[in-house]
Amino acid sequence: MSTAVAQKKGFGAFMWDYLTTVDHKKIAHLYLVAGGLFFLLGGLEAMIIRIQLIKPDNEFISAGLYNEMITMHGTTMIFLAAMPLLFALMNAVVPLQIGARDVAFPFLNSLGFWLFFFGGLILNFSWFMGGAPDAGWTAYAPLSTTSPTHGVDFYVMGLQISGAGTLIGGINFLVTIVNMRAPGMSYMRMPLFTWTVFVTSTLILFAFPALTVGLFLMMFDRMFGSVFFDVASGGNVIIWEHLFWIFGHPEVYILILPVFGVFSEVFSTFSKKRLFGYSAMVFATVLIGFLGFMVWAHHMFTTGMGPVANSIFAVTTMAIAVPTGIKIFNWLFTMWGGTIRMTTAMLWSVAFIPTFTIGGMTGVMLAAAAADYQYHDTYFVVAHFHYVIVGGVVFGIFAALHYWWPKMFGKVLNEKLGKWAFWPFFIGFHLTFFIQHFLGLMGMPRRYWKFLDGQGLDTGNLISTIGAFFMALGVIIFLWNVIYTAMKEPKASADPFDGRTLEWSIPSPPPFYNFKQTPLVRGLDALWIEKSEGKKAMTPAEPLGDIHMPYGSIIPFVMSFGLFIAGFGFIYQVDNPVWLSLVFIGMGITLGSMFVRSVKDDLGYHIHKEDLEKGDGQV
Amino acid sequence: MSNEDILNPKQMPHEPEKATLEGKNKFLGFWFFLGGETVLFASLFGTYLALNDSTAGGPGTEELFGLELVFVMTMLLLTSSLTSVYAMYHMKNNNFSKMMVWLGVTVALGFTFLGFEIYEFYHYIHEYEFTFRSSALGSAFYTLVGFHGGHVLFGLLWILTLMGRNAKRGLNLYNAPKFYIASLYWHFIDVVWVFIFTVVYLMGKVG
Amino acid sequence: MAKDTNSTHNEFEKAEHKQEMQHQVISFVMMIIFTIAAFALVVSDVSKYFTIPIILLLAVVQVVFQLYYFMHMKNKDHEMPALMIYGGIAVAFMTILTFTTIIWW
């Protein structure tokens, strides 16, 4: 059932295998490929933005297209690149780290991916169907409700569908972590990555419904004539801003927490030390998750909420610096006195610390509500959030990919090329964004199509654009590394980095049932405990027996495809009610496949003990 | 042991809905989903509360709402919550036919509720010209109450599908969790309605 | 259907279920009474500064009955469900507080 076998069966069988898979490791591949493609697309949009801003009064692209570029860059990077790439890591690693054979809901796991994928497709179809959304990734009303093209409609439908997928994924990981841990793995023995995924999934559960409602209101206003955001009929535009940020601020913690987990794993492994202050790290993660829900209005300091509300949200925002600081120091102390190996994964992680600290510091500056009136909507804000999102999330994803690549694909990424990719990206990143702090302080507003000559903004913008090209070079070298590794590198061993956690106790890549026998966990860093006692493998917690596995299914794909069809119907029925037929067809497909799923039993099958013994774990 | 044997034990366990790992997962996952639904409805309630004075010259809540209808609807839904409790009681005692009867009563009550709701909307639209588009209050009202109504409809179709699918084969460890979470969903619908009749109708009447 | 009349264990369970059912019927009666009380209060034209807090309180108590008795949150193995429901309630509370206080107009 492995990829290699499927390829021998031919391309059609290979595709069918991936379309119907419910195996979390293959779903991880799907998320990685789809998220990676959207990441390249978002990167391309970023390059176009930077080329437009390379010199004053540039005419590279038109103002309208520029608005579409910035909107699509933000939306794509957050929803279609960062989120799925993190889901790729979660899928690839969490079940292995907790010693599980599968996730709690394999079917829903697949559904979550396909919903995200078709949502992303809808959003990007807008480019070819009359124009992309152009109201910024925040889509503030009334700018978004009055935008004349169908662009914002694509935004609404695309995010609604992919958001549903994310919510499903979040619930799946929550239940997986609560119910499927191996014997002996108590909560306080879970690897930190699993902990951060747990907290992140909780945030997804509570944050995404607010976006769902916001998008529904926007959809009703734009497509069905309701007046939520129409002031003339008593509507109130600030409702959208609140709903968006009640979702949107937890969203940034949804993005950053899993990579905090990644860094914790990487620092600990490559320093050959137990993570310093494990329980403080868990506590800080939970605290960040908790505080993350009380800070959203700091995006709205200048909307006139009044001094009381502004002060409350300023204080809660600054409070988040405390648990984040705890984490930074714990990572430093983990490295302190350790046997440090500067691998590529470690390089990205070490680079993250100063970068993210700069982003955190500007965050506290922005949290000061009075000062924020100066910074608001300038490039200072742009610099700030790129320092935390690129310096945090993207660095983290690169670190994680280098660290877990052997577990996902069975080969260690080439170290030399890895470092060659790191340096241009790292230098380019700081070139691009450090200068933007100063551009912002000099008064350059964000989202503007042009800037004028003679205002002292020329050099800064030129440097910024040059930096962007370095970043692009880094990404290209990374892609080359992926191809090179697939062609030239030898097969990796089960444990190429001398790891500490359970995923390194099974072959790379693991068999489709992960663990032949569920391992017995005797403490934090379960594999390391066994190693330090001179054992080569985990002690099994059960005798060798039959393994229950779920069947694959095409239904998730069909279900999501139905919503994809219906999405176009919803968007175009405004022009002509005939399009409503697409809504009925699409919803019919979706509800029909839900019905089929409900009435058709899916009991799964058993791998027999004898086959396991014969195959010796290699299937 | 085959799947069939595992799912049809000689003696039904104490809590058939949580006897298998799949059952435990469904149980927990559905509760978590309800946690998310809480936020979804809170966002809708918040929107409604922010807009409940925005009549744009049209009728306001005091003028519109009639408490008699709402009272009847409330009683219907509350009772249907009790009948689904009875259904789960019989499920735990492994009495499949009685469980089906009580689920049937639940569904009947649910459809009656939905009928009243449709009549209510029709009434507002034709007597008062109070529509989804006429004012921000209208948009917020129909969205909040309509979302609840949509949940009721989905719940009814869900329970009917489960009943139809399992009518012939009776209770086993594969479908027990399905019945159980459908009843959880039904209770949650009632929880939301308690706040709707209090916050929308009663508070709307008090002004 | 399995014929399971043999064990006393089973009789014990049945009795247990019956007792639980009694509690549920009692909570149902209470819910009906609370509902009638809330409607009566609104119809009887008392000051709204008295009525609104009381009917909200009645609603909350009703919901507690629903959650703890009808949905069995009082039983064991409901720690995680309770955690997530209370998490949801906390976010819900903040959302509604926001929409009733700092939304201008």
Side-chain angles (χ1 to χ4, degrees):
Chain A
M1 277 273 219
S2 79
T3 329
V5 178
Q7 267 163 339
K8 273 176 218 150
K9 280 187 288 188
F11 185 70
F14 174 74
M15 283 299 285
W16 182 253
D17 189 29
Y18 270 94
L19 288 177
T20 58
T21 187
V22 293
D23 179 352
H24 66 94
K25 296 176 289 300
K26 284 185 185 163
I27 290 172
H29 295 168
L30 290 171
Y31 268 120
L32 183 67
V33 171
L37 286 174
F38 284 125
F39 178 77
L40 295 180
L41 205 56
L44 195 66
E45 285 150 8
M47 294 312 293
I48 293 171
I49 294 170
R50 276 325 312 172
I51 292 171
Q52 165 63 22
L53 294 174
I54 195 169
K55 61 173 187 180
D57 213 13
N58 199 0
E59 290 282 352
F60 178 64
I61 53 172
S62 71
L65 188 58
Y66 183 81
N67 287 344
E68 295 175 17
M69 283 298 162
I70 56 158
T71 305
M72 286 300 281
H73 167 69
T75 314
T76 305
M77 284 303 198
I78 296 286
F79 292 98
L80 308 181
M83 293 288 298
L85 289 173
L86 292 173
F87 266 110
L89 299 175
M90 287 152 78
N91 268 297
V93 177
V94 168
L96 306 183
Q97 277 199 335
I98 61 174
R101 294 219 170 86
D102 210 330
V103 291
F105 304 111
F107 178 90
L108 289 183
N109 200 13
S110 155
L111 180 63
F113 168 78
W114 290 111
L115 284 173
F116 141 71
F117 180 72
F118 280 113
L121 274 191
I122 287 195
L123 193 57
N124 278 287
F125 265 54
S126 63
W127 286 114
F128 316 106
M129 302 180 81
D134 57 357
W137 86 280
T138 52
Y140 277 5
L143 181 62
S144 50
T145 45
T146 50
S147 168
T149 65
H150 276 302
V152 177
D153 301 332
F154 282 95
Y155 171 93
V156 168
M157 293 317 300
L159 291 194
Q160 190 72 282
I161 293 171
S162 71
T166 308
L167 185 63
I168 288 172
I171 292 176
N172 179 27
F173 279 103
L174 279 175
V175 180
T176 304
I177 294 171
V178 174
N179 268 1
M180 314 271 286
R181 281 167 291 134
M185 179 161 284
S186 60
Y187 284 106
M188 290 310 275
R189 286 176 180 177
M190 293 195 311
L192 210 79
F193 180 68
T194 301
W195 252 113
T196 54
V197 170
F198 182 71
V199 176
T200 283
S201 304
T202 317
L203 297 190
I204 289 175
L205 178 64
F206 296 139
F208 269 76
L211 177 72
T212 306
V213 169
L215 289 172
F216 267 121
L217 303 189
M218 178 80 75
M219 174 184 170
F220 292 162
D221 260 24
R222 284 192 58 101
M223 302 176 204
F224 297 101
S226 68
V227 289
F228 288 104
F229 308 124
D230 179 1
V231 179
S233 302
N236 186 337
V237 294
I238 216 74
I239 288 175
W240 166 265
E241 284 193 35
H242 274 295
L243 285 175
F244 186 84
W245 288 117
I246 287 173
F247 147 77
H249 202 83
E251 166 72 10
V252 306
Y253 294 104
I254 291 169
L255 296 178
I256 200 70
L257 283 177
V259 303
F260 282 177
V262 169
F263 293 129
S264 305
E265 306 285 325
V266 170
F267 280 130
S268 163
T269 302
F270 294 111
S271 304
K272 241 183 194 180
K273 265 179 73 186
R274 192 190 136 130
L275 184 69
F276 187 91
Y278 171 81
S279 27
M281 289 298 249
V282 171
F283 169 74
T285 308
V286 175
L287 193 61
I288 290 174
F290 181 70
L291 288 174
F293 272 101
M294 301 190 199
V295 300
W296 77 86
H298 67 213
H299 297 269
M300 301 164 62
F301 279 151
T302 60
T303 51
M305 295 184 300
V308 177
N310 276 8
S311 308
I312 293 171
F313 284 105
V315 169
T316 51
T317 305
M318 291 180 195
I320 288 201
V322 176
T324 316
I326 293 176
K327 282 181 169 285
I328 298 275
F329 282 110
N330 277 337
W331 287 318
L332 293 175
F333 287 136
T334 303
M335 285 190 284
W336 184 283
T339 315
I340 294 176
R341 278 173 292 165
M342 268 298 165
T343 58
T344 312
M346 190 65 168
L347 209 51
W348 284 108
S349 306
V350 171
F352 148 84
I353 288 187
T355 311
F356 193 79
T357 307
I358 293 171
M361 197 189 66
T362 53
V364 176
M365 289 171 74
L366 286 161
D372 183 65
Y373 276 76
Q374 282 299 317
Y375 309 136
H376 190 82
D377 264 351
T378 69
Y379 264 80
F380 189 81
V381 178
V382 177
H384 159 73
F385 67 68
H386 281 94
Y387 260 80
V388 286
I389 294 184
V390 181
V393 182
V394 178
F395 282 23
I397 288 170
F398 276 123
L401 288 178
H402 282 91
Y403 183 55
W404 282 311
W405 201 266
K407 210 36 75 180
M408 290 178 80
F409 298 102
K411 285 178 174 184
V412 182
L413 279 173
N414 185 282
E415 276 293 308
K416 201 177 203 173
L417 282 171
K419 284 172 185 160
W420 270 93
F422 168 79
W423 285 108
F425 194 93
F426 178 71
I427 294 168
F429 166 76
H430 284 280
L431 271 183
T432 312
F433 294 108
F434 194 73
I435 196 86
Q436 289 186 3
H437 291 111
F438 300 100
L439 290 172
L441 292 176
M442 285 156 74
M444 181 169 165
R446 70 190 277 204
R447 290 177 171 163
Y448 275 32
W449 169 49
K450 275 182 180 178
F451 61 95
L452 291 179
D453 207 359
Q455 296 183 330
L457 304 173
D458 309 14
T459 320
N461 275 298
L462 178 64
I463 292 173
S464 190
T465 303
I466 293 171
F469 278 98
F470 275 99
M471 290 171 80
L473 179 66
V475 173
I476 291 168
I477 298 174
F478 175 79
L479 291 177
W480 170 241
N481 192 2
V482 169
I483 298 166
Y484 179 86
T485 301
M487 312 288 270
K488 299 275 167 104
E489 291 289 327
K491 237 180 107 34
S493 67
D495 183 16
F497 301 130
D498 198 10
R500 314 172 70 83
T501 40
L502 284 180
E503 73 268 32
W504 305 110
S505 69
I506 49 176
S508 310
F512 67 97
Y513 48 81
N514 296 351
F515 294 87
K516 197 153 60 164
Q517 287 164 289
T518 307
L520 179 69
V521 176
R522 297 195 293 145
L524 180 65
D525 290 345
L527 180 62
W528 193 256
I529 292 179
E530 307 293 326
K531 282 184 187 173
S532 61
E533 291 178 5
K535 291 179 195 156
K536 289 224 169 67
M538 296 299 299
T539 314
E542 55 172 21
L544 192 63
D546 291 359
I547 296 176
H548 182 248
M549 294 304 289
Y551 283 122
S553 172
I554 191 69
I555 295 179
F557 179 87
V558 179
M559 221 182 257
S560 314
F561 183 69
L563 287 178
F564 177 72
I565 304 269
F568 287 104
F570 279 118
I571 291 167
Y572 285 104
Q573 49 83 28
V574 181
D575 304 334
N576 188 341
V578 175
W579 287 93
L580 277 173
S581 56
L582 274 193
V583 174
F584 292 120
I585 294 170
M587 293 310 284
I589 293 174
T590 300
L591 291 172
S593 35
M594 282 168 84
F595 181 78
V596 172
R597 171 69 185 167
S598 185
V599 299
K600 221 179 104 214
D601 285 0
D602 183 7
L603 299 174
Y605 62 98
H606 286 90
I607 316 166
H608 293 293
K609 198 166 107 181
E610 297 72 31
D611 298 333
L612 285 170
E613 275 163 348
K614 224 172 4 191
D616 199 31
Q618 306 292 323
V619 173
Chain B
M1 216 156 47
S2 78
N3 281 323
E4 285 303 312
D5 297 333
I6 295 170
L7 295 175
N8 295 292
K10 288 220 173 58
Q11 186 179 340
M12 270 292 185
H14 178 43
E15 287 178 319
E17 76 276 8
K18 283 188 279 183
T20 59
L21 179 62
E22 282 74 20
K24 285 194 190 93
N25 288 345
K26 278 203 171 80
F27 169 81
L28 207 58
F30 200 76
W31 268 103
F32 291 176
F33 170 72
L34 292 182
E37 287 262 282
T38 308
V39 181
L40 183 115
F41 276 103
S43 306
L44 290 168
F45 272 108
T47 307
Y48 176 81
L49 286 170
L51 297 173
N52 67 352
D53 289 329
S54 305
T55 56
T61 52
E62 244 169 301
E63 190 185 337
L64 280 167
F65 298 151
L67 288 185
E68 299 83 359
L69 188 69
V70 179
F71 184 74
V72 174
M73 285 163 73
T74 304
M75 286 301 147
L76 283 170
L77 212 58
L78 267 181
T79 312
S80 81
S81 207
L82 182 75
T83 55
S84 79
V85 166
Y86 267 112
M88 287 308 104
Y89 168 68
H90 290 299
M91 182 185 92
K92 288 195 174 177
N93 284 340
N94 197 16
N95 191 335
F96 182 70
S97 49
K98 278 199 180 155
M99 179 187 89
M100 292 290 271
V101 171
W102 283 109
L103 282 180
V105 176
T106 307
V107 169
L109 288 168
F111 272 115
T112 322
F113 171 89
L114 215 53
F116 276 113
E117 187 153 87
I118 291 165
Y119 166 76
E120 185 202 357
F121 285 4
Y122 181 84
H123 177 71
Y124 292 156
I125 291 167
H126 288 269
E127 302 287 314
Y128 295 94
E129 290 181 345
F130 175 73
T131 70
F132 189 55
R133 300 172 181 191
S134 63
S135 65
L137 170 66
S139 301
F141 170 81
Y142 287 109
T143 304
L144 170 59
V145 182
F147 254 81
H148 177 263
H151 274 70
V152 172
L153 180 64
F154 187 83
L156 290 170
L157 296 178
W158 182 8
I159 295 175
L160 279 177
T161 309
L162 280 180
M163 290 171 73
R165 171 65 183 91
N166 296 299
K168 286 216 180 95
R169 68 172 169 183
L171 201 63
N172 62 28
L173 296 186
Y174 183 69
N175 58 30
K178 295 185 174 210
F179 281 114
Y180 188 83
I181 62 169
S183 93
L184 279 184
Y185 181 79
W186 195 256
H187 291 308
F188 185 78
I189 287 173
D190 201 33
V191 167
V192 174
W193 181 257
V194 168
F195 282 111
I196 288 184
F197 88 69
T198 305
V199 172
V200 176
Y201 293 101
L202 292 184
M203 276 168 61
K205 207 62 188 171
V206 176
Chain C
M1 213 148 299
K3 289 185 234 22
D4 45 11
T5 47
N6 46 357
S7 70
T8 47
H9 178 64
N10 215 42
E11 291 305 314
F12 171 71
E13 271 177 10
K14 280 213 162 137
E16 207 179 37
H17 294 160
K18 196 159 193 175
Q19 204 194 355
E20 189 171 25
M21 196 62 230
Q22 273 170 1
H23 289 196
Q24 283 163 333
V25 173
I26 292 168
S27 54
F28 173 72
V29 173
M30 302 280 270
M31 283 155 71
I32 295 285
I33 292 171
F34 290 154
T35 306
I36 293 173
F39 275 87
L41 205 58
V42 171
V43 174
S44 64
D45 238 6
V46 195
S47 155
K48 73 173 184 179
Y49 297 103
F50 177 74
T51 308
I52 290 179
I54 295 293
I55 58 176
L56 283 175
L57 185 70
L58 288 173
V60 170
V61 176
Q62 270 209 51
V63 164
V64 169
F65 274 120
Q66 277 275 359
L67 287 171
Y68 277 84
Y69 285 90
F70 282 18
M71 296 166 84
H72 309 281
M73 229 164 79
K74 66 176 174 46
N75 295 8
K76 63 175 172 53
D77 285 346
H78 281 68
E79 295 81 13
M80 286 314 284
L83 180 69
M84 290 302 167
I85 288 291
Y86 281 115
I89 289 172
V91 178
F93 179 75
M94 271 189 302
T95 307
I96 288 172
L97 192 67
T98 301
F99 280 74
T100 46
T101 52
I102 52 172
I103 299 259
W104 23 262
W105 282 321

